């Protein structure tokens, strides 16, 4: 049995290479094990697995802005689960197939004018995506090749390493406050775990979207590179992370992330209820509607 306070994963046989990869992390929500996965392309996310390196590339391809709709989130979680359960895969690079946009965050149209049941289903899908990504045993690298507000930023923050294209027109941050909504505790914790409390607090209160150079200064992204070098750099970083024994890295990751993952797992239903109560308030519905109108007006 595990000593008190030590995670169960350490009791499993060590996995020094991908052939000996352990079962899904204890951070992972339960799911059915899937068969061996090959490269696959779905509606909204294209996934390619290079079996020789053990590295998969996930490309978001949901025009116009890769917003995280219910359908997108479901596909994202399924793709992560397939890769997680595939012994040939040890790492995943997440990027966008669209120019200028990594992801515009949660699909706002899923959050207003819908039924309570829809809000519950949508929020559960957001939770599921985060639990799978933040709790993944794989090495996860975000190659942020465009703007990445709110939920898009959460995706990047949930990875192990973030590389961003050094274009100052691309910005990233948790800008929920600008929409009149509040990032839930697990968004906040993910942010704090990357940039520290003070930077996260100021950025969250102001709903800041940080241009790439500022995001780098704050530690929100780890590196900036010219856009054309982004994938090359992501592959090099991945190789560096994969050079370590999987089990030591996975245990360390689990140790660093377990508290917040466990908290959401323990309070999942309460978190869904909170979301529904908050989002269905008339004042919040109005804010979201106005924000969408503002986006549309900006265009014309
Ligand atoms: N959801 C739905 N539709 C969107 C979204 C979105 N997040 N973002 C953009 N769109 C739509 C636009 O309305 C527009 O639609 P249409 O063509 O019909 O007019 C289309 O996508 C293209 O948008 P733009 O013309 O604005 O494209 P640009 O390339 O000029 O700009 C940006 C791209 C920078 C991504 C810009 O669209 C933008 O800033 N979008 C808003 C991003 C944002 O603020 N997202 C926050 C979402 S909330 C979230 O993720 C976390 C919520 C946590 C919930 C907590 C509650 C308790």
């Amino acid at each position: 049995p595990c000593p008190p306070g030590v995670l169960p994963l350490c009791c499993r046989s060590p996995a020094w290479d991908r052939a000996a990869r352990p079962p899904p992390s204890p951070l992972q929500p339960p799911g059915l094990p899937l068969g061996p996965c090959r490269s696959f392309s779905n509606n909204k996310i294209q996934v390619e697995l290079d079996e020789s390196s053990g590295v998969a590339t996930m490309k978001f391809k949901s025009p116009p802005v890769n917003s995280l709709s219910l359908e997108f989130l479901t596909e994202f979680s399924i793709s992560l689960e397939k890769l997680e359960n595939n012994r040939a895969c040890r790492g995943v690079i997440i990027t966008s197939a669209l120019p200028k946009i990594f992801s515009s965050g949660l699909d706002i149209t899923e959050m207003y004018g819908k039924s309570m049941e829809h809000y519950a289903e949508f929020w559960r899908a957001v939770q599921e995506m985060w639990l799978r990504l933040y709790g993944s045993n794989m090495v996860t690298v975000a190659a942020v090749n465009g703007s990445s507000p709110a939920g898009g930023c959460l995706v990047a923050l949930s990875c192990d390493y973030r590389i961003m294209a050094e274009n100052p027109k691309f910005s990233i941050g948790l800008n929920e406050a600008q929409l009149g909504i509040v990032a839930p505790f697990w968004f906040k914790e993910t942010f704090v775990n990357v940039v520290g409390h003070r930077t996260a607090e100021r950025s969250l209160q102001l709903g800041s979207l940080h241009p790439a150079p500022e995001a780098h200064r704050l530690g929100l992204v780890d590196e900036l590179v010219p856009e054309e070098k982004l994938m090359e750099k992501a592959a090099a970083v991945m190789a560096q992370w994969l050079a370590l024994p999987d089990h030591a890295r996975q245990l360390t990751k689990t140790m660093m992330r377990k508290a917040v993952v466990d908290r959401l797992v323990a309070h999942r239903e309460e978190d869904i209820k909170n979301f529904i109560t908050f989002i269905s308030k008339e004042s919040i519905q109005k804010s979201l509607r106005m924000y969408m109108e503002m986006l549309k007006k900006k265009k014309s």
Side-chain angles (χ1 to χ4, degrees):
C2 294
V6 178
L7 305 174
L9 188 63
C10 70
C11 300
R12 297 182 183 152
S13 54
W16 290 91
D17 56 38
R18 62 199 146 104
R21 204 151 144 231
S25 147
L27 298 182
Q28 288 288 302
L32 288 175
L34 300 170
C37 139
R38 286 164 203 92
S39 302
F40 48 94
S41 182
N42 296 315
N43 284 340
K44 297 180 180 291
I45 304 173
Q46 186 186 330
V47 185
E48 281 164 13
L49 173 62
D50 176 352
E51 298 209 347
S52 61
S53 64
V55 179
T57 305
M58 265 190 175
K59 281 190 181 165
F60 297 161
K61 49 154 189 135
S62 180
V65 288
N66 287 332
S67 65
L68 307 175
S69 61
L70 179 58
E71 196 187 334
F72 187 110
L73 289 162
T74 305
E75 199 176 306
F76 195 5
S77 290
I78 290 172
S79 301
L80 285 169
E81 184 183 18
K82 280 187 185 171
L83 294 175
E84 195 79 48
N85 290 326
N86 185 341
R87 282 170 182 274
C89 182
R90 296 172 66 208
V92 54
I93 297 170
I94 299 177
T95 193
S96 165
L98 307 183
K100 299 189 202 139
I101 310 280
F102 179 71
S103 162
S104 72
L106 301 191
D107 192 314
I108 299 168
T109 62
E110 303 274 15
M111 296 190 286
Y112 74 84
K114 301 281 194 300
S115 68
M116 304 291 167
E117 291 72 26
H118 182 87
Y119 295 146
E121 191 186 4
F122 177 64
W123 199 246
R124 192 179 295 283
V126 181
Q127 293 175 332
E128 185 73 18
M129 178 279 289
W130 179 81
L131 287 168
R132 290 207 171 276
L133 184 59
Y134 199 61
S136 175
N137 257 332
M138 299 179 287
V139 173
T140 50
V141 173
V144 184
N145 53 341
S147 287
S148 194
C153 177
L154 180 76
V155 169
L157 286 171
S158 303
C159 291
D160 297 315
Y161 200 84
R162 285 153 289 285
I163 309 163
M164 190 165 182
E166 67 186 358
N167 186 339
K169 288 189 182 150
F170 298 161
S171 61
I172 182 166
L174 293 180
N175 61 321
E176 280 78 355
Q178 282 192 38
L179 285 74
I181 56 179
V182 182
F185 75 87
W186 40 286
F187 282 49
K188 181 264 290 177
E189 287 296 311
T190 309
F191 197 19
V192 167
N193 289 347
V194 172
V195 298
H197 200 279
R198 173 61 190 144
T199 298
E201 180 179 338
R202 187 175 47 194
S203 183
L204 279 169
Q205 284 205 43
L206 294 172
S208 305
L209 284 173
H210 306 284
E214 187 177 291
H216 183 230
R217 270 199 307 281
L218 294 174
L220 206 170
V221 295
D222 297 294
E223 262 182 270
L224 295 184
V225 294
E227 194 166 352
E228 64 279 9
K229 296 258 191 271
L230 197 57
M231 293 313 284
E232 191 187 310
K233 184 71 202 180
V237 167
M238 180 62 82
Q240 192 190 3
W241 283 60
L242 289 181
L244 274 84
D246 281 339
H247 86 284
R249 185 193 50 72
Q250 287 162 353
L251 278 172
T252 308
K253 181 169 178 175
T254 302
M255 177 175 69
M256 299 300 293
R257 299 187 175 199
K258 192 174 186 301
V260 58
V261 169
D262 281 356
R263 201 172 146 211
L264 179 60
V265 170
H267 299 282
R268 212 166 161 178
E269 298 310 316
E270 195 184 324
D271 186 62
I272 292 172
K273 275 194 198 128
N274 286 343
F275 172 74
I276 296 174
T277 308
F278 184 78
I279 213 74
S280 50
K281 282 190 179 129
E282 191 39 51
S283 57
I284 303 300
Q285 289 285 300
K286 195 173 158 200
S287 289
L288 291 175
R289 228 178 353 255
M290 281 165 58
Y291 190 77
M292 280 306 277
E293 278 163 18
M294 182 275 289
L295 281 180
K296 287 189 193 307
K297 270 200 201 119
K298 181 196 72 169
K299 244 177 157 181
S300 50

